[in-house]
Structures are given as structure tokens and as C-alpha cells.
Amino acid sequence: LPFADGEFDLGFSNAVVEHVAGGREGQRRFVHELCRVSGRVFVTTPNRWFPLEVHTLRPFVPWLPPVGRARLIRYEDVLDPLGPKELASLFPYSVRVLNRGMTLIAYGPV
């Protein structure tokens, strides 16, 4: 992002990180960049362990491996869902992850 370190008080990402290309490393770069330009962050994403895929409302799709998930939903975008531990691991510092069932919320630093 074309901003200085800490230029914003708060960085907010609502259901974006699961669409970032490049696997977990791409997601990590996305989150690190958000953290770099923001004093605090608030990131939401659908919960991989919730039995309903929130984009298509199909049951159990998030639990499939990537190839099976892509075949079944034929989603045109990247869709790489995260669980609570996977989401927390993307950050360069400790965050709190709240599991709200269908949605995960990470905020920090804590």
C-alpha cells in the first residue's frame, strides 16, 4: 500500500483475506501490510470450521480440500478459508481471535 508505517489508527478488512491469492503466504503478506500501515487492526473472515460455506450456502464445502472445493462450487475467485489458529498465525504480533460461529474476528495487537 502506498502509505507510511502507522499512517492509520485502524486497519479494517471485512471478508477479504480468504480471497487473497498465493495461499497462506499471500494471505500473510496481505495481513502484514495491513498491520504495517495501521496502529491496530480488525479483520473478519468466514470460519472454515462452520459447516456452511457462506458465499454459496452449500453445506460442508469449507471442509473439502482445495481441488474438491473448487470443483463443487466453481467459484471464479480465490477461496481459501481459514480456521481460528490459521487466522492468528497470519499476524506479525499477537491478536485476539473471536469465533462467532460463521465468522472469525481478529483484532489487535493485544
Side-chain angles (χ1 to χ4, degrees):
L1 297 172
F3 303 106
D5 294 357
E7 189 159 338
F8 300 97
D9 293 332
L10 178 67
F12 176 72
S13 171
N14 185 33
V16 174
V17 70
E18 73 274 14
H19 297 286
V20 174
R24 290 291 178 264
E25 187 54 36
Q27 291 172 335
R28 183 174 287 101
R29 284 191 307 268
F30 170 80
V31 169
H32 278 232
E33 185 64 2
L34 180 65
C35 293
R36 181 188 69 77
V37 300
S38 309
R40 298 187 60 73
V41 294
F42 186 90
V43 177
T44 71
T45 189
N47 184 358
R48 176 188 174 98
W49 301 114
F50 190 77
L52 199 62
E53 199 287 310
V54 300
H55 298 87
T56 63
L57 301 179
R58 292 190 178 184
F60 311 113
V61 169
W63 302 348
L64 296 173
V67 172
R69 188 170 53 239
R71 272 193 206 144
L72 186 61
I73 64 174
R74 294 195 170 107
Y75 200 71
E76 296 298 322
D77 196 359
V78 172
L79 185 57
D80 192 3
L82 299 149
K85 289 179 183 176
E86 294 164 314
L87 179 58
S89 74
L90 299 178
F91 290 84
Y93 45 68
S94 293
V95 294
R96 182 154 204 190
V97 176
L98 303 176
N99 184 339
R100 295 295 183 222
M102 185 182 284
T103 302
L104 300 174
I105 302 167
Y107 64 91
V110 291

